[in-house]
Amino acid sequence: MGEKLKQFRELCGEIHDLKIAAAVLHWDQQVNMPPGGAPARAQQVATLNQLGHGMLISEKFGAALEAAGEEVASLDPDSDDARMVKRTLRDYKIAVKVPNEWVREFGLTTTLAFQNWHEARAASSFKDFAEMLEKIVNLRRQYSEFFAPYDHVYDPQLDFFEPGMKTAEVKAVFEKLRPQQVALVHDIVERGKPVDDAILHQKFSEKKQWDFGEEVVAKIGYDFERGRQDKAAHPFTISFHPHDVRITTRVNPQFLPTAFFGTMHEAGHAMYEQGVDVSLARTALAEGTSYGVHESQSRLFENLIGRSKPFWKAYYPKLQKAFSKQIGSVSLDDFYRAINKVEPSYIRVEADEATYNLHIMLRFDLETALIKGDLAVVDLPDAWNQKIEEYLGLEPPDDANGVLQDVHWSGGYLGYFPTYSLGNLMASQLWEKIEEDMPDIDAQIEKKKFGDLLAWLRENVHRHGAKFYPQELLKRVTGSELDPEPYMRYLRRKYSEIYAL
Ligand code: ZN
C-alpha cells in the first residue's frame, strides 16, 4: 500500500473510531443508562458526531481523499482499496453537500418531534403532531434540493438508506408485487382453512424463553465470543467491530413468538456484521452495505429458516420440553401453522409475512406523495385510512393504531420504510440461490447443521461489508436484479400448504 493511501486509511480510521464511540454510548443508553442520564448523553453523542463530521468535511480529509483516489486509480476497480475510496467518496459527497445549519436544525427538530409524537400517539391525536411533521417534511424536501438534479425528489431520501436505489425502481417492483400480495391475502382470508394460534398466547417463563433463543442462535452461528445479548425496549443490533457485535431482545411472558423471532432476527443482522472481513475494519466498508441487504439477512433467519418446517422438525422437541405444560401435547403441525398465521392487522410490527409488505407499500406511497407535495400533511390520516382499506380491507379504529403507529417519521426517517420490503424480496432471491447451490439445505437444517449455510453467506454476502452497492451485490450473487417473483413463489408455496388453498 502506498504512503498516501496509508495516511488516508488512518484518517478514515480516526473518523470511524469517533462514530463507534458514539455507538457505544448509544448502546449504553438503550441497555444500561438510568433515564436521568438522557440530557447529558445527548450532548456527549452530539459532540462526538460533530467532531467526526468536522473531520470528514475538512480540507485535510478532502485532500487526502483526492490523493488516495489518484493512488488507487491504477488498481483493479474491484479491489478493497479502490472500493474503500469509492464508498468514502460517496459519504464525503453527502456530508459536504448538507450545510451545518441544516444538520443542527434537523437534529433539534427531530429531538422535539420524538417527544411530540410520543404524546400525540398517547392521545391518539394526529392534529397534535401535524405541525411538527410538516416541519420535518419541509426539512426533508430541502435535503433533497441539496442533491438536485434528481430524477425524483424522493431519490436522495432513499439513496441515504439504500445506496444507488431509485424511486422509480422501487415503484416498478411494488407495482408488480402489490396485486399479487393483495390477491393472496384475499384468498387466505376468504377460503383458507382457519388457523388457531391460541397456544402461543399463554404464560411462558421469561428465563426459559431467553435461554432457548440464545441456545438456538449460538448453534446457527451467532458467535457469543464476539457478541452478547441484552434486553432493550426496542430490539436492535449494533456493531463496534466484527469482533464485537451485540444484539438486544425483548421478552413477552404472554406471547411466545416475540422473544424467539426477535432474537433470530437480530442474530441474522449480527452474523452479517460478525462476518465482515476484519481487514475492512475502521473503514467505510466495515459494515453491511445497506439497510435492505441487512434486512435480507435478518429476515432470512427469522422467517425463511425460523418459521420453516425443517427448522421446527429439529427444534420443536426441545421447545416442547422447555414448555411441556403449554405445548407438550400440541403437534408439530399445529405449532407450525400457529406461528405462520396470517391475519390482516393495523399494526406493521405485528404483521405476518403475507401482509407485511402491504404495510410498507402504503407508507411508501404516502411518503413519496408527501415529499413531492402531492399530499398535504393535514390530509395524511384520511389518505392512510383509505389505503389501509384498499390494501388490507381494514378500517383503523384511531390515529394511534393508524397513521401515528411508527416512530420513523418523527425521527425524520423518510426513505427508510422501503428497505424492509427490499430485504424481504432479497432474502427470497438469496434463498433460491442457496437451494440451488445446496440442494440438501432442508435436510441439513433438520439435522441442526448450519455450518455450510453460514459459510455460503460469509463467502457471498457477509465478508464484503459495504464493498459492493446493494443491487450490485445481489446481481453478483444471484445473477439477477431485484425481483419480486421469488418472494411470491415462496409465499404461495408456504401458504397453499398451511391454508389448504
Ligand atoms: Zn431488522
Side-chain angles (χ1 to χ4, degrees):
M1 192 189 303
E3 204 47 45
K4 282 176 185 156
L5 197 55
K6 227 172 173 171
Q7 281 167 8
F8 173 66
R9 267 193 88 134
E10 192 42 43
L11 281 178
C12 289
E14 286 169 9
I15 293 172
H16 193 77
D17 291 343
L18 286 168
K19 187 172 132 183
I20 298 303
V24 177
L25 292 183
H26 175 78
W27 174 82
D28 174 71
Q29 179 164 10
Q30 301 293 318
V31 172
N32 297 314
M33 197 184 77
R41 182 53 50 89
Q43 275 177 336
Q44 294 148 6
V45 171
T47 299
L48 285 170
N49 286 341
Q50 233 163 20
L51 280 173
H53 187 254
M55 283 169 74
L56 183 61
I57 62 170
S58 69
E59 272 177 38
K60 185 181 172 189
F61 189 79
L65 178 59
E66 203 182 319
E70 284 161 15
E71 215 167 274
V72 298
S74 58
L75 298 179
D76 171 2
D78 280 349
S79 65
D80 288 356
D81 284 332
R83 287 289 181 151
M84 192 256 295
V85 171
K86 186 178 171 186
R87 185 84 180 208
T88 310
L89 182 63
R90 171 186 181 267
D91 296 347
Y92 174 78
K93 276 185 176 163
I94 291 178
V96 294
K97 274 190 180 159
V98 183
N100 262 328
E101 305 82 71
W102 186 91
V103 175
R104 209 173 21 247
E105 167 98 33
F106 183 69
L108 284 172
T109 306
T110 49
T111 306
L112 293 173
F114 176 74
Q115 190 59 30
N116 180 232
W117 163 77
H118 218 265
E119 287 161 14
R121 191 178 68 160
S124 194
S125 170
F126 178 77
K127 65 178 189 344
D128 295 350
F129 179 56
E131 199 181 317
M132 198 56 105
L133 184 58
E134 178 98 52
K135 247 187 212 165
I136 288 174
V137 171
N138 285 334
L139 279 165
R140 292 312 311 184
R141 216 177 275 145
Q142 279 174 24
Y143 177 91
S144 281
E145 292 317 317
F146 302 141
F147 297 90
Y150 39 69
D151 298 338
H152 192 292
V153 61
Y154 188 77
D155 281 352
Q157 315 292 326
L158 183 62
D159 185 82
F160 183 81
F161 299 103
E162 204 61 21
M165 183 62 90
K166 295 274 190 245
T167 309
E169 294 172 281
V170 175
K171 239 182 201 159
V173 167
F174 282 2
E175 265 157 29
K176 275 193 237 163
L177 188 61
R178 185 166 47 235
Q180 300 189 61
Q181 287 219 240
V182 169
L184 176 67
V185 173
H186 183 83
D187 262 10
I188 291 172
V189 172
E190 293 298 313
R191 55 188 193 86
K193 183 179 146 202
V195 167
D196 183 358
D197 69 346
I199 51 157
L200 304 175
H201 296 270
Q202 302 185 65
K203 192 155 172 31
F204 295 93
S205 141
E206 290 194 37
K207 182 175 184 316
K208 282 186 187 172
Q209 289 195 54
W210 186 268
D211 291 347
F212 179 75
E214 283 205 339
E215 187 186 329
V216 171
V217 295
K219 181 81 185 164
I220 62 178
Y222 175 54
D223 182 358
F224 278 92
E225 289 293 314
R226 300 184 289 141
R228 55 179 286 136
Q229 178 172 245
D230 293 274
K231 275 187 195 163
H234 305 283
F236 63 97
T237 296
I238 198 159
S239 170
F240 307 138
H241 182 276
H243 291 175
D244 185 357
V245 184
R246 307 178 188 189
I247 60 174
T248 58
T249 299
R250 67 176 152 213
V251 184
N252 182 345
Q254 309 283 355
F255 187 54
L256 187 60
T258 305
F260 179 72
F261 292 111
T263 299
M264 286 289 274
H265 182 96
E266 299 307 330
H269 281 304
M271 284 184 274
Y272 187 6
E273 294 289 335
Q274 286 186 334
V276 173
D277 197 310
V278 174
S279 67
L280 305 178
R282 289 183 89 227
T283 75
L285 306 186
E287 58 189 12
T289 188
S290 73
Y291 285 69
V293 176
H294 239 296
E295 212 54 24
S296 80
Q297 298 305 294
S298 56
R299 306 265 165 171
L300 193 141
F301 281 98
E302 176 192 354
N303 292 331
L304 282 94
I305 295 173
R307 291 181 203 270
S308 75
K309 197 60 139 323
F311 177 82
W312 286 106
K313 275 187 187 162
Y315 279 102
Y316 191 53
K318 192 172 264 296
L319 188 72
Q320 275 184 307
K321 214 170 150 194
F323 300 108
S324 56
K325 203 171 87 213
Q326 294 88 338
I327 52 170
S329 59
V330 176
S331 72
L332 170 63
D333 260 2
D334 286 346
F335 176 77
Y336 171 71
R337 286 161 51 84
I339 59 168
N340 284 297
K341 181 177 179 175
V342 172
E343 190 166 37
S345 75
Y346 320 115
I347 306 291
R348 175 185 60 87
V349 296
E350 291 167 9
D352 51 77
E353 288 180 90
T355 55
Y356 191 90
N357 285 338
L358 295 169
H359 289 268
I360 297 303
M361 290 184 237
L362 167 156
R363 285 157 179 77
F364 172 73
D365 291 351
L366 298 176
E367 274 189 359
T368 47
L370 279 175
I371 200 112
K372 224 178 148 200
D374 291 348
L375 173 65
V377 168
V378 292
D379 298 327
L380 186 58
D382 283 346
W384 180 288
N385 294 348
Q386 212 179 316
K387 289 260 175 206
I388 266 272
E389 160 91 60
E390 186 187 334
Y391 292 178
L392 289 157
L394 297 170
E395 207 178 303
D398 50 33
D399 290 345
N401 287 288
V403 66
L404 284 177
Q405 65 183 268
D406 298 305
V407 67
H408 302 59
W409 289 339
S410 75
Y413 293 129
L414 276 85
Y416 188 125
F417 282 122
T419 67
Y420 291 120
S421 284
L422 301 181
N424 279 332
L425 303 189
M426 287 190 262
S428 283
Q429 287 186 258
L430 291 170
W431 193 254
E432 287 197 349
K433 181 72 180 145
I434 289 167
E435 285 180 322
E436 195 183 309
D437 291 352
M438 285 182 271
D440 66 335
I441 182 68
D442 284 355
Q444 290 195 29
I445 291 172
E446 272 179 43
K447 287 185 210 126
K448 301 184 186 172
K449 284 188 174 162
F450 297 95
D452 289 356
L453 173 67
L454 188 63
W456 190 97
L457 290 169
R458 288 270 192 266
E459 172 62 25
N460 290 290
V461 181
H462 299 172
R463 72 185 172 95
H464 302 302
K467 186 172 165 179
F468 301 110
Y469 277 24
Q471 292 314 302
E472 201 184 356
L473 180 78
L474 185 69
K475 184 102 197 249
R476 287 175 71 99
V477 181
T478 66
S480 47
E481 317 268 332
L482 185 67
D483 176 8
E485 293 312 318
Y487 187 67
M488 284 313 303
R489 277 198 282 276
Y490 159 72
L491 289 185
R492 280 199 200 97
R493 194 171 55 209
K494 182 167 185 174
Y495 291 117
S496 297
E497 192 221 321
I498 291 171
Y499 281 92
L501 297 175

